[in-house]
Amino acid sequence: MTQTVSVVIPAHNSARTLDACLRSVFAQTHPVHEVIVVDDGSTDATADIARRHPCTLLGDGTNRGVSAARNTGIAAATGDVLFFLDSDEALTAGSVEAALEILRADPACGCVHGVIAPEPLFDDGPVEWYKTLHAYWWRARGAGVVETAFFAQAAVPREVFARLGGFDESLRDSEDLEFSDRLAPHYRIVLTERVMAHHDEEHRLGPLLAETYRRALLLVPALRSARAGGRTNLTANTPGSVLAAAFLLGSPVVAALLALLGTTGPWLALPSAAGLLAFGLANGRLIGFAAGRRGAAFAAFFTGVHLACHAALLAGAAVGALRGGTSPSAPAAPPATAGAGGR
């Protein structure tokens, strides 16, 4: 039996990318039943761009966040399968067809989601290439049956939402993790490279670090929740990489303590050298992947940005933990001013 697909696209100030996003949907090898764009209070030309395409445009002018935007799309959709796509992404042509094939082959599968392509939607410079290559790497590394779903490009049978309800509208970040906590005990979740989207990633270092910090505020409670449920969430960075970064970033303190104990000379550089070596070893394959894609000079830049992102992540996780008792279902971050979905 042929399954009908409703594509749900939450959009907030997405004028830069929405046309490319919609064109990719209408170019799918499996024709979609309907496309629903939920304009989440945009102040740019997002709605005008949506009207140029044969899609349903929803939204009352209020910015309520990506969870509410997706729920609005769920309520309006009539397809057998809902395919969620962020408005700053463009799908590769066979993505919808591949997701349907995987769902049909496994009736116990409740979600098929994909990876970020290793090339950005628009080339805005080296910071974006760092984010794009890293995003592709860690998702592709985890492909298979997983415990976490990411809904930037994801297909979900309608009956899943009838059973579990929609997204937590109090969340503007980490809503994927919260929904995964409800999804994983009942359905298999499949991450596959057969579903892939080119993403318009952040291309400025300051906002990238701010976003990393903000999202890390919920990292500790999210990990606690996953551990309590006996599950392991997909993570962008390995524990070894995070520990090595923490040691490297703390190495000046270690060196200062050694100096107070009377150590002098090159021994004072040993903690930093050891930390740098450990960080390089923990990320060796990732850095090698970046070098293979963009060259040795870019790999050095990549490593520096990667370390800076680890610093932002560690700071955010520490602040989130010190706040104490913050649950993954509680609001933790203000909305972004623009970008993916209805955030």
Side-chain angles (χ1 to χ4, degrees), residues 106-128:
D106 183 3
C109 181
C111 177
V112 176
H113 61 119
V115 304
I116 301 298
E119 306 85 17
L121 180 57
F122 305 123
D123 186 351
D124 293 314
V127 171
E128 182 171 32

Side-chain angles (χ1 to χ4, degrees), residues 212-213 216 242-243 245-247 249 309-319:
T212 303
Y213 170 85
V242 175
L243 289 173
F247 182 82
L249 293 167
C309 286
H310 275 67
L313 182 148
L314 288 164
V319 170

Side-chain angles (χ1 to χ4, degrees), residues 9 12 18 26 28 57 79 102 108 118 157 164 166 199 223 227 263 281 293 314 321 327 342:
I9 304 174
H12 176 68
L18 185 59
F26 291 113
Q28 289 298 298
L57 177 63
I102 293 169
L164 301 180
H199 189 197
L223 291 175
R227 191 174 296 114
T263 303
L281 290 174
R293 286 279 178 166
L314 288 164
S327 74

Side-chain angles (χ1 to χ4, degrees), residues 157-176:
R158 169 180 295 281
E159 60 264 23
V160 171
F161 294 104
R163 179 177 185 179
L164 301 180
F167 294 89
D168 186 340
E169 296 189 10
S170 71
L171 292 175
R172 291 179 181 259
D173 279 307
S174 299
E175 75 287 339
D176 307 72

